[in-house]
């Protein structure tokens, strides 16, 4: 079942005062913006505006995928607790809004999560844009802040992860767009000018409600408690070296499918000994490509386990770039390379996979394997892009973070996945077993 993330916010400049809301629907696997909504609603309170933002976000999610499950993230403790059924809804203005929110999307497929204000910048910006537009007597309309367009317009230079001018400027542009402050730098959820939160303090909301059991017939449903059971832990092993690895050539799932080199076989044996010493691996799952299966089989022979192949763990298909160096791609396909460096949606020349497509594939494999191996420790033998993608998604980091991670051949990383959807990155790019 597809999952969507809804982030919503609302605010009033006066409480009550000129008010507006903003909401955004996101793809949780890629961070891609799927829909935006914002509106100036005249004179209202913060809480009314926040509820209206929630309703707009849920309706947008329903339009996109009526059969999805939705994770709502808001920085309003009041709305989150009331819609989760943990606080009574006492204010007469809030009851019909909560009921409308419960009807906007099937309540049994919605769960609510409080997030700090600094993590709700997108919806906050939209709410501020709506209030600014209302102050000018206009309706809100979306502005073109596509990070891909901004980054693609810059002259890139250097491969992904290279700190040279072009790639660095592209990543800087992507980051600056994502972090752009709202017009006027006002907080959508509070009165007056935004103030930074005090470290160590709890989020504060207007005392319009107190924690109490939900009353009979309340609009909200109960959210699940935090999961405290043993997680599914994925130990992520990048395959050992091949000839193409040492020559720094694009080597994906659409090329020659090379075997491990002699150095790669030594690396696989070293990681097998290290994992045997730890004694925690219970299952092994591998990409179907030869270099991963050879690495996995070396470990499996040492641990006495079988290897299961999962197509979702294969490397990106690099299309016509397979087997080429970055410099060769720059020479032969400069425009396609520029687009690829600038946007996660751009695919390599010749029908390869974009990072967005890989993220969706890897996220589906993650969900499938985490459900099948709850409470167990599983070795996933895969490639650079899938492993970095799993780490990126666990951190909630944007696609451009793929360019900011180092992942060596035969390195180990680890991510734990809990049943409530939370994840914890526990290790990244450990190569200590190769230096013994």
């Amino acid at each position: 079942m597809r999952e969507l993330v809804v982030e919503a916010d609302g605010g009033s400049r006066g409480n009550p005062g000129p008010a507006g809301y903003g909401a955004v629907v996101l793809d949780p696997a890629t961070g891609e913006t799927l829909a935006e909504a914002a509106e100036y609603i005249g004179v209202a309170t913060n809480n009314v505006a926040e509820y209206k933002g929630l309703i707009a976000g849920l309706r947008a999610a329903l339009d996109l995928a009526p059969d999805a499950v939705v994770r709502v993230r808001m920085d309003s403790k009041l709305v989150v607790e009331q819609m989760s059924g943990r606080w009574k809804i006492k204010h007469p203005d809030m009851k019909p809004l909560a009921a409308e929110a419960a009807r906007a999307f099937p309540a049994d497929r919605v769960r609510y999560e409080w997030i700090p204000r600094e993590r709700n910048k997108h919806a906050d910006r939209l709410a501020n844009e709506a209030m600014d537009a209302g102050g000018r007597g206009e309706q809100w309309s979306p502005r073109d802040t596509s990070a891909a367009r901004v980054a693609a317009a810059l002259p890139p230079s250097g491969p992904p992860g290279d700190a040279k001018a072009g790639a660095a400027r592209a990543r800087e542009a992507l980051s600056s767009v994502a972090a752009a402050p709202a017009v006027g730098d006002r907080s959508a959820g509070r009165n007056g000018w935004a103030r930074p939160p005090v470290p160590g303090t709890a989020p504060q909301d207007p005392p319009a409600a107190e924690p109490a059991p939900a009353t009979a017939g309340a609009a909200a449903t109960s959210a699940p408690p935090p999961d405290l059971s043993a997680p599914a832990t994925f130990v992520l092993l990048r395959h050992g070296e091949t000839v193409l690895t040492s020559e720094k050539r694009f080597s994906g799932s659409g090329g020659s499918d090379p075997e491990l080199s002699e150095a790669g076989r030594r690396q696989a044996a070293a990681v097998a000994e290290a994992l045997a010493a730890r004694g925690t691996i219970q299952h092994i799952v591998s990409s179907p490509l030869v270099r991963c299966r050879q690495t996995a089989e070396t470990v499996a022979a040492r641990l006495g386990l079988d290897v299961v192949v999962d197509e979702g763990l294969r490397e990106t298909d690099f299309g016509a770039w397979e087997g080429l160096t970055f410099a060769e791609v720059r020479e032969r396909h400069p425009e396609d390379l520029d687009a690829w460096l600038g946007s996660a949606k751009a695919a390599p020349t010749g029908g390869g996979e974009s990072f967005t497509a890989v993220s969706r594939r890897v996220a589906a494999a993650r969900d499938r394997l985490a459900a099948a191996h709850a409470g167990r420790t599983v070795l996933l033998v895969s490639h650079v892009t899938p492993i970095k993608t799993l780490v990126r998604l666990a951190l909630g980091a944007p696609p451009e973070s793929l360019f900011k991670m180092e992942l060596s051949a035969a390195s180990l990383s680890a991510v734990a996945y809990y049943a409530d959807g939370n994840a914890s990155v526990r290790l990244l790019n450990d190569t200590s077993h190769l230096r013994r």
Side-chain angles (χ1 to χ4, degrees):
M1 183 177 290
R2 186 179 183 185
E3 182 182 13
L4 298 175
V5 170
V6 170
E7 294 179 349
D9 201 0
S12 168
R13 294 169 179 171
N15 200 30
Y21 67 76
V24 58
V25 183
L26 305 171
D27 184 325
T30 65
E32 178 185 2
T33 298
L34 304 178
E36 290 182 331
E39 185 179 2
Y40 173 69
I41 59 174
V43 176
T45 64
N46 287 334
N47 294 338
V48 167
E50 287 164 342
Y51 262 110
K52 285 187 175 292
L54 169 62
I55 293 164
L58 290 173
R59 286 175 174 167
L62 188 69
D63 289 341
L64 285 168
D67 295 329
V69 295
V70 173
R71 181 155 44 105
V72 174
R73 301 193 295 216
M74 298 181 69
D75 62 49
S76 170
K77 189 75 169 175
L78 174 72
V79 174
V80 167
E81 294 298 316
Q82 287 183 342
M83 291 304 299
S84 298
R86 292 187 289 268
W87 288 10
K88 287 183 178 180
I89 304 172
K90 296 180 179 180
H91 198 288
D93 291 345
M94 299 300 106
K95 291 181 179 180
L97 290 170
E100 187 176 358
R103 293 192 300 269
F105 199 99
D108 61 337
R109 287 188 273 118
V110 181
R111 61 188 178 93
Y112 292 85
E113 174 188 350
W114 177 86
I115 57 174
R117 190 188 315 169
E118 59 269 19
R119 288 180 54 194
N120 203 26
K121 289 181 178 180
H122 193 152
D124 177 89
R125 171 176 63 77
L126 294 174
N128 274 287
E129 287 180 2
M131 286 186 278
D132 289 339
R136 298 190 300 268
E138 302 170 357
Q139 290 292 322
W140 173 85
S141 60
R143 62 179 182 174
D144 183 9
T145 57
S146 166
R149 290 186 181 91
V150 172
L154 297 173
S157 171
D162 184 82
K164 293 190 165 77
R169 284 198 297 272
R171 295 193 295 270
E172 182 179 359
L174 288 161
S175 300
S176 65
V177 169
V183 177
D185 195 28
R186 286 182 178 270
S187 166
R190 305 292 181 269
N191 297 331
W193 296 98
R195 291 179 294 174
V198 178
T201 60
Q204 299 297 316
D205 277 87
E210 297 178 358
T215 57
T221 58
S222 296
D227 181 71
L228 300 178
S229 59
T233 300
F234 292 171
V235 177
L236 309 173
L237 170 59
R238 184 189 172 196
H239 61 80
E241 286 186 8
T242 71
V243 173
L244 297 182
T245 308
S246 60
E247 294 179 357
K248 300 188 182 301
R249 295 181 180 273
F250 283 94
S251 181
S253 58
S256 60
D257 197 9
E259 297 185 348
L260 292 179
S261 64
E262 182 60 37
R265 288 191 286 272
R266 289 195 300 270
Q267 290 170 338
V271 76
E273 289 301 321
L275 291 171
R278 297 183 188 186
T280 57
I281 301 300
Q282 297 168 284
H283 304 275
I284 301 176
V285 183
S286 174
S287 156
L289 300 185
V290 169
R291 53 196 181 273
C292 282
R293 287 192 285 108
Q294 288 179 331
T295 304
E297 288 160 4
T298 299
V299 176
R302 180 66 179 83
L303 301 185
L305 297 172
D306 295 326
V307 177
V308 175
V309 171
D310 193 300
E311 286 285 337
L313 299 180
R314 61 181 170 80
E315 180 59 288
T316 306
D317 182 346
F318 291 112
W321 303 353
E322 294 280 358
L324 302 180
T325 65
F326 185 87
E328 289 169 341
V329 174
R330 164 66 70 198
E331 180 181 355
R332 300 180 193 184
H333 308 286
E335 293 182 359
D336 290 348
L337 183 61
D338 288 354
W340 183 73
L341 286 171
S343 172
K345 297 179 182 179
T349 308
E353 286 182 291
S354 68
F355 285 138
T356 297
V358 173
S359 293
R360 288 178 176 147
R361 167 166 58 80
V362 169
R366 172 203 63 193
D367 294 346
R368 183 173 60 252
L369 292 169
H373 298 289
R376 300 184 180 92
T377 300
V378 185
L379 180 69
L380 305 189
V381 186
S382 189
H383 309 262
V384 170
T385 310
I387 292 174
K388 285 186 177 183
T389 297
L390 288 168
V391 172
R392 176 182 81 76
L393 296 177
L395 293 172
E400 60 268 24
S401 64
L402 295 174
F403 296 147
K404 300 182 180 181
M405 298 182 219
E406 176 68 24
L407 201 71
S408 304
S411 64
L412 290 169
S413 303
V415 181
Y417 298 93
Y418 295 86
D420 60 5
N422 286 315
S424 173
V425 176
R426 299 186 172 183
L427 186 70
L428 180 65
N429 198 41
D430 177 18
T431 58
S432 58
H433 48 279
L434 303 178
R435 299 192 294 271
R436 294 172 183 169

